[in-house]
Amino acid sequence: MGFLADALSRVKPSATIAVTQKARELRAQGREIISLSVGEPDFDTPDNIKAAAIEAIRRGETKYGPVAGILPLREAIARKFRRENGLDYKVSQCIVGTGGKQILFNALMASLNPGDEVIISAPYWVSYPEIVALCGGNAVIVGTTAEHDYKLQPETLEKAINSKTKWVILNSPSNPSGAAYSHDELKALTDVLLRHPHVWVLTDDMYEHLVYGDFVHATPAQVEPALYDRTLTMNGVSKAYAMTGWRIGYAAGPEKLIRAMDMIQGQQTSGACSIAQWAAVEALDGPQDFIAESRKVFEGRRDLVVSMLNQAAYLSVHRPEGAFYVYPSCAEALGKTSEGGRTIESDVDFVTALLEEQGVAVVQGSAFGMGPNFRVSYATTNETLAKACGKIQVFCAGLR
Ligand code: PLP
């Protein structure tokens, strides 16, 4: 690679780029393309949160703050964990980052040595294995099945653990499957971890508030308090409060890890944007009506998408508990030919033909480490979803 760092060779370019690029090209040619590939709520940030940011600017909260986050936000985070998760964290155990993504990066950077292993279950959020690789660790990908709703099974976890295992990453509800672990399902996993005291848990609870019906979100340190001293509980305001662009994520965990993350952040960003942090204080401490409202809207969309896609030939869709994604299997479509004459041999072929022939953009499961599936994001209006799912039905009906 010459000038560029060897570390780059460990990282893959985003597997979603090809489809996004194709969608862009088709749009440029004047085709109407419906994208069900976005990973963010379609709502605007609530007004009270915007107002808090504007007020912070007016007050002159525009200077460098503490690297780990402004005190009012770290206090609000400690309150949030107590109120919503029954977890007691001191302010010194809480850290704010520039998005949940940076929290994850700093936690792994602060803890991984070459050869250390991080267990990740597929389908996974695309960034986990890449961040592990960038931080010099080895991602150990373990499989799940549709029969188990794409959830990691205790036996699978047990088998993947060895002396090199440093972390297991859990993500509930999951991007891309929407699957969320109940208290008992999580307990079965934490029971395995009790037998392996050297393994830490990084739980990504980013979609915590987007769970439907009577499902109750659970998080490892709450389900198994004995894991408290080796759990990093990560969360953020991006998805819960429609604040993806504000770039605020946070975590709480053992002080030695938080201090190490603080040190890295001090030589990196010097901390998250002060104004966005004041907005996040309002998000966590202010009225929470937005969460209930958006949850209701997303639940209706999930039900619409699951029902319409289940009526499509050759697709099988489970009904996930949370997030704003569904993850249909297109296994039965493999070996068929589309109406436009394209042979479908993989999920990449499926999503490419769907895009070219029906103008609907979704993301192939192989981008998330498990296929043949594709990820549908339902973070868009019912009208758009009904139209797109109708087109997917037409596409599937045309397969021969
Ligand atoms: N974790 C999961 C599972 C996600 O899907 C995302 C964003 O797509 C993140 C973390 C990162 O969120 P943030 O916007 O806070 O960096």
Side-chain angles (χ1 to χ4, degrees), residues 36-367:
L36 302 184
S37 61
V38 294
E40 60 183 349
D42 50 320
F43 311 120
D44 196 5
T45 304
D47 283 341
N48 61 309
I49 297 175
K50 289 184 184 173
I54 293 165
E55 189 44 41
I57 294 174
R58 293 219 169 96
R59 277 202 315 275
E61 308 279 5
T62 52
K63 304 279 194 268
Y64 290 130
V67 170
I70 56 171
L71 190 60
L73 181 53
R74 294 169 85 199
E75 288 170 344
I77 291 165
R79 276 193 294 277
K80 177 259 179 274
F81 280 126
R82 207 161 299 130
R83 183 177 69 235
E84 296 179 347
N85 309 104
L87 290 172
D88 254 313
Y89 287 113
K90 289 185 280 186
V91 165
S92 55
Q93 291 179 277
C94 300
I95 188 163
V96 181
T98 303
K101 194 178 244 180
Q102 198 200 16
I103 294 283
L104 194 64
F105 194 97
N106 288 354
L108 294 173
M109 182 129 195
S111 56
L112 292 183
N113 289 313
D116 285 346
E117 295 186 356
V118 180
I119 298 173
I120 297 167
S121 70
Y124 47 72
W125 181 43
V126 287
S127 294
Y128 297 142
E130 306 308 321
I131 296 176
V132 168
L134 268 177
C135 294
N138 294 335
V140 174
I141 310 296
V142 295
T144 61
T145 60
E147 289 68 45
H148 290 127
D149 292 337
Y150 306 107
K151 293 179 197 176
L152 175 61
Q153 297 303 296
E155 325 63 85
T156 314
L157 174 61
E158 181 93 60
K159 266 197 224 130
I161 294 175
N162 63 42
S163 60
K164 290 189 238 140
T165 310
K166 197 145 216 177
W167 288 100
V168 54
I169 299 182
L170 297 176
N171 173 216
S172 172
S174 149
N175 176 5
S177 72
Y181 295 86
S182 68
H183 178 283
D184 291 356
E185 287 166 337
L186 209 48
K187 181 77 174 70
L189 296 174
T190 58
D191 280 351
V192 172
L193 295 170
L194 285 180
R195 294 194 283 278
H196 302 278
H198 66 291
V199 180
W200 284 49
V201 189
L202 205 172
T203 179
D204 178 344
D205 295 352
M206 198 54 89
Y207 293 90
E208 164 184 21
H209 288 299
L210 298 176
V211 291
Y212 312 121
D214 50 15
F215 186 86
V216 179
H217 173 81
T219 192
Q222 167 197 36
V223 165
E224 182 45 82
L227 293 182
Y228 179 87
D229 289 331
R230 49 182 168 117
T231 299
L232 185 71
T233 306
M234 175 198 137
N235 211 313
V237 295
S238 292
K239 319 283 171 167
Y241 303 95
M243 292 176 70
T244 46
W246 298 75
R247 310 306 305 126
I248 296 291
Y250 57 85
E255 243 171 272
K256 71 171 175 188
L257 174 63
I258 300 297
R259 270 202 304 271
M261 291 165 67
D262 186 350
M263 197 171 74
I264 289 170
Q265 196 153 280
Q267 297 298 0
Q268 191 188 41
T269 56
S270 299
C273 164
S274 60
I275 296 148
Q277 289 192 65
W278 281 103
V281 172
E282 173 64 17
L284 296 181
D285 278 351
Q288 300 294 304
D289 317 331
F290 176 80
I291 288 184
E293 285 157 20
S294 62
R295 180 189 285 163
K296 204 157 140 232
V297 174
F298 277 130
E299 181 165 3
R301 293 170 175 179
R302 175 199 63 171
D303 293 344
L304 169 74
V305 169
V306 168
S307 132
M308 284 192 76
L309 293 184
N310 265 327
Q311 289 165 41
Y314 311 118
L315 294 187
S316 114
V317 194
H318 73 299
R319 190 164 171 272
E321 294 87 354
F324 38 71
Y325 309 106
V326 294
Y327 202 63
S329 161
C330 55
E332 282 181 44
L334 302 192
K336 307 218 173 290
T337 303
S338 69
E339 215 155 33
R342 293 175 175 83
T343 312
I344 311 294
E345 276 165 2
S346 65
D347 51 23
V348 177
D349 291 343
F350 185 94
V351 305
T352 308
L354 176 65
L355 177 59
E356 293 191 357
E357 296 178 26
Q358 290 295 333
V360 177
V362 294
V363 184
Q364 70 278 12
S366 41

